[in-house]
């Protein structure tokens, strides 16, 4: 590592990735520097970086340099998801099973090994039933001395008041597009156009923007998704398009999981001081195995997230169509899919504003069905059927 890297130190360290979240970073740094509260609730819309913020917080709490340097072994292990004192918990089901929550509560009793704080992050606390919440509540009311709970949810209203009132609140926001683009330029070496494109079409979602920026195949898949409604004209094409959507999401989920596993593996190798080509000594293999197991365990969830992402991308198409319809064709309106401006203007001609709103509603309904584990093909077919342009009466 060159010495010059240290020069732009303010944005480095574990909090460096939390772009556009200055207030949150300050709040968490203050907590790290004093005696932190035992229960936290991190809220913010998808893409605001709740899980990343929670992970960074866990690293900063346990950092050997005391502030989340991002470079010590503890920081590296926590960021790569392989430190035994930090658990990141998410559920693949619609709700957490009560046994899972009981198990977490038991884990919370153990003293952290090789770290100052045991940190348990529940990535989707909004998916907890009242019964499960009550199990958790007991644990939060009488916290073991070295355990910190971090619950994540879209908004404070998504968790029961009994929990909420015992947690310190942290509110994340969607970062501004410029901040996301800036991060991609500084961290990933993109040129300004690429960075602006990725930030815009991801709608300022750092993780998605980075994937689109790094992987041309991911960009190609996204372009395919957003072009689908423009090609759907009949029931049979709608069914085909639904099938394509599902298979694109599956491919994307696999590619994303592979990329993540290889990042995590590289990061673990670094933290263990292994050269990229060096053979992993037998006594360390368990740690790598655990990364692979985590990745397998996340597989279903990844597909689910990728399906949701395709629906978010399609929603952007119809929001653009609506912007065209409201803004006229003078070209003044800002479009998420600005690179498809011409096609979108044409397409907007085929739909009335009411029909566009119906399409947005259908997309919302599909997201809801997917989140309730309706088979994806069914949910997507029902949605695509709604996207077939009806003969507009404004011809
Ligand atoms: Zn550190």
């Amino acid at each position: 590592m060159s010495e010059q890297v240290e020069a732009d130190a303010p944005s480095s360290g574990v909090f460096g990735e939390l772009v556009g979240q200055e207030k949150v970073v300050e709040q968490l740094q203050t907590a790290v520097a004093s005696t932190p509260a035992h229960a936290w609730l991190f809220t913010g819309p998808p893409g605001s970086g709740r899980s990343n913020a929670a992970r960074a917080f866990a690293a900063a709490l346990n950092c050997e340099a005391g502030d989340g340097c991002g470079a010590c072994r503890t920081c590296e292990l926590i960021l790569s998801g392989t430190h035994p004192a930090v658990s990141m918990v998410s559920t693949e089901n619609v709700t957490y099973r009560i046994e899972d929550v009981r198990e977490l509560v038991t884990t919370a009793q153990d003293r952290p090994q090789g770290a100052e704080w045991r940190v348990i992050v529940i990535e989707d606390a909004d998916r907890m039933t009242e019964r499960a919440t009550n199990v958790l509540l007991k644990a939060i009311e009488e916290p073991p001395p070295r355990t910190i709970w971090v619950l994540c949810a879209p908004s404070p209203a998504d968790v029961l008041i009994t929990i909420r009132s015992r947690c310190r609140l942290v509110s994340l926001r969607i970062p501004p597009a410029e901040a996301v683009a800036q991060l991609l330029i500084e961290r990933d070496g993109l040129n300004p156009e690429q960075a602006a494109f990725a930030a815009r079409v991801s709608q300022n979602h750092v993780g998605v923007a980075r994937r689109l920026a790094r992987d041309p195949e991911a960009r190609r898949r996204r372009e395919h998704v957003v072009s689908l409604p423009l090609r759907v004209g009949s029931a049979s094409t709608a069914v085909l398009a639904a099938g394509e959507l599902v298979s694109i999401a599956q491919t994307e989920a696999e590619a994303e999981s592979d990329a993540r596993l290889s990042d995590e593996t590289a990061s673990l190798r670094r933290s263990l001081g292994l050269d990229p080509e060096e053979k992993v000594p037998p006594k360390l293999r368990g740690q790598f195995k655990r990364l692979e197991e985590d990745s397998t365990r996340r597989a279903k969830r990844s597909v689910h997230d990728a399906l949701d992402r395709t629906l978010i991308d399609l929603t952007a198409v119809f929001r653009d169509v609506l912007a065209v319809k409201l803004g006229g064709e003078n070209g003044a309106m800002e479009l998420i899919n600005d690179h498809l401006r011409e096609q979108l203007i044409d397409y907007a001609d085929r739909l009335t504003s009411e029909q566009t709103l119906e399409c947005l509603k259908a997309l919302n309904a599909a997201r809801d069905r997917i989140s309730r584990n309706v088979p994806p093909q069914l949910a997507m077919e029902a949605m695509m059927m709604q996207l077939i342009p009806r003969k507009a009466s404004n011809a």
Side-chain angles (χ1 to χ4, degrees):
M1 281 283 142
S2 91
E3 310 270 311
Q4 282 157 325
V5 175
E6 300 290 317
D8 52 355
S11 67
S12 65
V14 294
F15 292 115
E17 302 263 318
L18 303 185
V19 285
Q21 314 283 1
E22 293 76 14
K23 263 199 181 141
V24 166
V25 171
E26 206 186 301
Q27 185 183 5
L28 296 179
Q29 280 172 331
T30 308
V32 169
S34 55
T35 308
H38 280 278
W40 295 75
L41 177 57
F42 284 27
T43 64
S48 57
R50 294 181 310 237
S51 306
N52 285 346
R55 207 188 276 268
F57 184 40
L61 284 165
N62 287 310
C63 171
E64 291 158 34
D67 60 351
C69 66
C72 70
R73 189 155 179 274
T74 305
C75 277
E76 284 254 16
L77 285 174
I78 292 175
L79 294 181
S80 67
T82 49
H83 198 294
V86 175
S87 325
M88 302 284 292
V89 196
S90 61
T91 180
E92 289 176 354
N93 304 315
V94 177
T95 55
Y96 281 94
R97 296 181 315 158
I98 198 153
E99 306 89 87
D100 295 339
V101 179
R102 285 214 179 95
E103 205 182 302
L104 282 179
V105 170
T106 310
T107 309
Q109 301 302 321
D110 299 342
R111 284 190 69 85
Q113 282 172 3
E116 200 173 343
W117 297 99
R118 174 173 296 284
V119 183
I120 302 178
V121 180
I122 301 184
E123 293 193 47
D124 25 30
D126 51 312
R127 293 189 180 205
M128 218 171 263
T129 59
E130 191 161 351
R131 248 158 53 88
T133 303
N134 287 332
V135 174
L136 181 64
L137 187 60
K138 273 228 173 71
I140 290 181
E141 279 174 329
E142 297 151 26
R146 308 304 307 174
T147 295
I148 292 177
W149 293 90
V150 180
L151 314 184
C152 303
S155 80
D158 291 316
V159 297
L160 290 180
I161 178 90
T162 43
I163 290 275
R164 204 191 320 158
S165 61
R166 283 170 179 81
C167 291
R168 196 65 56 86
L169 262 185
V170 173
S171 316
L172 293 123
R173 55 176 193 148
I174 292 280
E178 304 75 52
V180 174
Q182 199 54 38
L183 181 78
L184 296 177
I185 294 169
E186 283 170 16
R187 295 278 158 113
D188 302 278
L190 295 194
N191 69 42
E193 288 96 299
Q194 292 170 322
F197 172 82
R200 194 181 67 241
V201 300
S202 71
Q203 297 172 68
N204 313 351
H205 188 305
V206 176
V208 174
R210 175 167 283 154
R211 256 201 72 57
L212 289 171
R214 283 170 56 172
D215 184 352
E217 285 299 303
R219 283 204 295 281
R220 203 186 49 74
R221 281 190 286 272
R222 182 194 182 276
E223 289 311 295
H224 192 127
V225 167
V226 298
S227 74
L228 282 175
L230 283 62
R231 290 191 274 127
V232 166
S234 64
S236 58
T237 49
V239 171
L240 285 178
E244 283 180 50
L245 215 49
V246 174
S247 97
I248 289 171
Q250 277 160 349
T251 312
E252 173 59 19
E254 265 171 45
E256 201 262 335
S257 297
D258 289 351
R260 178 166 165 183
L261 181 59
S262 94
D263 279 355
E264 287 173 346
T265 305
S267 157
L268 179 58
R269 291 189 81 97
R270 265 200 313 280
S271 64
L272 295 171
L274 294 168
D275 288 329
E277 302 301 325
E278 197 175 334
K279 206 159 176 275
V280 178
K283 67 175 191 320
L284 296 179
R285 277 181 205 151
Q287 296 194 47
F288 288 90
K289 190 128 193 285
R290 204 163 58 221
L291 281 185
E292 279 165 36
E293 285 165 0
D294 282 351
S295 181
T296 310
R297 203 170 34 74
R298 285 193 307 250
K300 192 171 148 202
R301 177 68 182 248
S302 307
V303 172
H304 183 279
D305 290 349
L307 284 165
D308 193 51
R309 192 67 219 168
T310 64
L311 292 167
I312 292 172
D313 286 335
L314 288 173
T315 301
V317 169
F318 288 94
R319 292 214 335 238
D320 282 346
V321 168
L322 209 53
V324 169
K325 297 197 84 66
L326 299 175
E329 288 174 27
N330 314 338
M333 62 281 175
E334 265 185 47
L335 300 182
I336 297 160
N337 297 287
D338 195 55
H339 59 299
L340 302 173
R341 183 172 283 263
E342 293 305 313
Q343 287 107 299
L344 287 167
I345 290 174
D346 277 353
Y347 186 63
D349 246 5
R350 296 160 60 191
L351 296 175
T352 63
S353 298
E354 289 71 32
Q355 285 168 348
T356 312
L357 288 172
E358 287 300 314
C359 292
L360 284 167
K361 227 193 250 168
L363 284 161
N364 243 335
R367 289 187 70 188
D368 181 54
R369 288 198 191 109
I370 298 273
S371 79
R372 286 186 290 112
N373 280 356
V374 169
Q377 180 71 27
L378 285 184
M380 294 304 196
E381 277 180 19
M383 181 273 295
M384 278 295 177
M385 288 295 190
Q386 300 280 314
L387 301 196
I388 303 170
R390 315 222 189 322
K391 279 269 174 292
S393 52
N394 64 344

